[in-house]
Amino acid sequence: VIEKYIFPMLIGREILNFRETAGFFDKMINPDTDRRFHTAIRYGLSQALLDAASKNRKTLMTNVVAEDYGTMVSRQPITIFGQTGDNRYDTADRIIMKGAGSLPHGLINNVAGKLGSDGSILIDYVKWLSKRIIEIGGTDYRPVIHIDVYGTIGIAFGGNTGAMADYLMKLKKAAEGFLLRVEGPMDMGEREAQAYALAELTSRINQMTDGVQIVADEWCNTLEDIRYFADMKAGHMLQIKTPDLGGINNTAEAVLYCKDKGIGAYQGGTCNETDVSSRACVHVAMAVKPDIMLAKPGMGFDEGYMIVYNEMQRILALSGRLG
């Protein structure tokens, strides 16, 4: 598909404005399907377009994004979110030792073995994690505890938002003063029901505490979904799943929309990315400043964290020298 349709469109094209060029290709229709090109094609192509624009303008990719979207490149690293995968104890130690600003994700994707029918397994894990952060990181290290529960809290408590909110207060107590983010507390099976349920749960939490934040994930996939969830206040923070949005120009748009609506922006993605896409995402993040960014690729943590961390450090070192 790329060789047949995309490649001929690139020959001889001068690429100066990334935002306009990426937007043009993002809206193109595949003649074979009468739909837009697959998100993976648009995701990869937009990275190449950003790289081309930066070379043409003789500056960093992050400077291109900032100029095209009217922002300022961050002079500080974006908070990095490290995920443990199923190795949620040993890898948590490594995340703490590296001083990541948010952890552990945890992959809490079933009730019986990871959450507990009454939520007690996860409570015990959060108690262990909060103590471990202090033991290894010291009292000055204050990361956010961010747990992805894949809808299991909703399953365990029958979708009752009141019961779910009460459980989250117990989980907050287990976090021992650390800010707690809970991603994907329930899965309602379709977008509108999910947004309404998350908005209701978020409202309940707001009345009870400021120590817990709800993060939207399931059914919040495209740029259009992100705008819908942000307008609905369906969560304190939205995950922006970079490959699902197609062109990374849409990632920039999504982060800026969340910020405009007063909603936290988590620039995420998937562990199944490349070093190229991960580094390109860092350049977007440093230009539009999401609240957190996922360490990627992989669930082994160290490799993905160093790819993202080191690229941020390069940007901080070079951005003032290259325009």
Side-chain angles (χ1 to χ4, degrees), residues 149-210:
V149 298
Y150 292 84
T152 55
I153 294 176
I155 295 171
F157 294 94
N160 184 314
T161 55
M164 293 169 67
D166 290 341
Y167 170 70
L168 290 174
M169 293 307 101
K170 296 178 183 177
L171 206 60
K172 171 184 175 291
K173 184 178 180 181
E176 296 187 0
F178 292 99
L179 176 62
L180 175 68
R181 288 188 180 126
V182 178
E183 183 175 347
M186 80 285 280
D187 186 341
M188 301 301 293
E190 56 98 13
R191 188 182 79 159
E192 283 68 27
Q194 181 77 353
Y196 277 101
L198 282 177
E200 181 182 345
L201 181 59
T202 300
S203 178
R204 285 182 180 272
I205 294 297
N206 287 341
Q207 296 171 31
M208 301 168 78
T209 182
D210 59 0

